[in-house]
Amino acid sequence: MSQQWTVEDLRQIDVFKQCGSRELEALLPHVYQRTYRKGQILFMEGDPRERVYFLMDGYVKLERLHETAMYQYADYLKPKQLFPYSGMFSTTFYRHSAESLTDITVIYMPADRFEQLVKRSATMLLNIVGQMNRILDLHERRLQEIITPSATDRVLNTIHYLIEDLGEREADSVRIRCPFTTVELSRLSGTSRETVSGILSRLRKEDILQFDARQLVTEHPEYFEQATH
């Protein structure tokens, strides 16, 4: 966790692009880098909200459980994202647990120092508000698309949401490098694992979706866009 970051390194992160050198130099002694292996926990729901993280490589799942310990909510983070937004400036505890879905690299810093810097910078504050609005809009559309009586539609709409949120556009396809199991997809879509497996099998046979334990790939993202209308 040795400190090797520079002002120019921090400026590669979107929220710090417009920060003055003096502010970033003052922040540098409090910036640390760390790697986590797949399956490690970064923090648990209810832990003191002591750090703000920036995901540099890999994928992270944010999860909130119901008081009965039943699965309730999940969100997924791709590289170059700040987290957690939830609770910023308002709470002293994490509202979600964070788990590494792959091997990951993060940088982190004390939450109070980051928030003090944001409060002094209108540009940083606008950046964060913009990102929070993007997340809110995405999740509103996720709820609208997934609340449907058709189990098939819920699965297709869930894949559409993941393509929008995590998909990487390539020359002739969209690739999601975040690993998903059929159990995870069934939780997200509110359907049975058997239903998800059957739909994935059909999509494979029709050459619409390639799916394994490491990634999802589709050369027909428009199929899922049409499925949501």
Side-chain angles (χ1 to χ4, degrees), residues 131-159:
Q131 289 300 317
M132 293 176 109
N133 285 338
R134 182 194 66 81
I135 293 169
L136 180 60
D137 178 67
L138 186 65
H139 283 259
E140 284 180 347
R141 287 188 283 121
R142 171 186 174 183
L143 287 174
Q144 291 168 358
E145 292 178 359
I146 293 176
I147 298 176
T148 171
S150 168
T152 297
D153 286 348
R154 290 200 300 273
V155 174
L156 296 178
N157 291 346
T158 295
I159 296 172

Side-chain angles (χ1 to χ4, degrees), residues 80-99:
K80 311 305 180 186
Q81 287 189 291
L82 159 69
F83 71 98
Y85 281 101
S86 180
M88 195 174 294
F89 308 115
S90 62
T91 64
T92 56
F93 298 93
Y94 291 116
R95 293 179 176 175
H96 305 87
S97 299
E99 177 187 353

Side-chain angles (χ1 to χ4, degrees), residues 4-16:
Q4 297 178 343
W5 281 70
T6 67
V7 167
E8 291 309 310
D9 289 332
L10 285 179
R11 285 214 175 100
Q12 300 305 308
I13 300 173
D14 191 53
V15 72
F16 293 120

Side-chain angles (χ1 to χ4, degrees), residues 50-101:
E50 297 176 338
R51 297 173 177 174
V52 170
Y53 295 82
F54 297 86
L55 180 60
M56 307 309 295
D57 185 57
Y59 292 84
V60 165
K61 177 170 73 171
L62 298 180
E63 184 175 67
R64 179 184 293 172
L65 298 178
H66 190 267
E67 59 187 7
T68 59
M70 296 292 288
Y71 174 92
Q72 186 182 37
Y73 169 86
D75 191 20
Y76 302 88
L77 304 174
K78 60 185 177 182
K80 311 305 180 186
Q81 287 189 291
L82 159 69
F83 71 98
Y85 281 101
S86 180
M88 195 174 294
F89 308 115
S90 62
T91 64
T92 56
F93 298 93
Y94 291 116
R95 293 179 176 175
H96 305 87
S97 299
E99 177 187 353
S100 56
L101 293 176

Side-chain angles (χ1 to χ4, degrees), residues 150-155 182 186 189-202:
S150 168
T152 297
D153 286 348
R154 290 200 300 273
V155 174
T182 54
S186 70
S189 58
T191 58
S192 68
R193 182 177 61 82
E194 291 75 16
T195 297
V196 171
S197 295
I199 293 170
L200 292 177
S201 178
R202 174 176 64 81

